[in-house]
Amino acid sequence: MSEELLRAMVARHGVHVLARVAANPDAPPALLEDLARHDPPARRAYREIAGHPRATAAALLPCLADERARRLAARHPALAPAVLVGLLADADPEVAGAAAANPALPVGVMAGLLADAPRAGSRSGV
């Protein structure tokens, strides 16, 4: 489906179709960014955007405001490394774990996480 048709659907139906438009595999990055900034926001759209392979860092940032989308966005390789580093300290362990496993996390930060991780198979007091 073309970007023009997707934008026309949003213009005509508004917030009611944002999640479905965001879930469209043909949705281009610029449209995803616009959907993420839509006023009023649509929480379901945030979750679709956060899991969309074409989402950009700019589209992902608003998704961090939604608890469930935040977990998906933390996994997305387009999320900015500085944002990922901040998510390592997130109160939600799923978000922190997703950020730690994200391939966009800077190598030095990954190395530091690995150095601080408990050794597999080690036992306290042994």
Side-chain angles (χ1 to χ4, degrees), residues 56-103:
T56 63
L60 293 168
L61 286 177
C63 299
L64 294 173
D66 179 78
E67 183 179 315
R68 291 186 349 198
R70 185 178 187 85
R71 294 172 184 158
L72 294 169
R75 292 182 182 97
H76 203 292
L79 199 58
V83 175
L84 286 170
V85 170
L87 291 175
L88 293 173
D90 198 273
D92 183 340
E94 286 185 45
V95 173
N102 192 313

Side-chain angles (χ1 to χ4, degrees), residues 10 14 29 34-35 54 59 67 77 82 86-87 89 91 93 96-97 107 110 116 122 125:
V10 171
D34 291 345
L35 296 176
R54 292 184 173 184
E67 183 179 315
L87 291 175
V107 173
M110 280 186 198
D116 292 342
S122 67

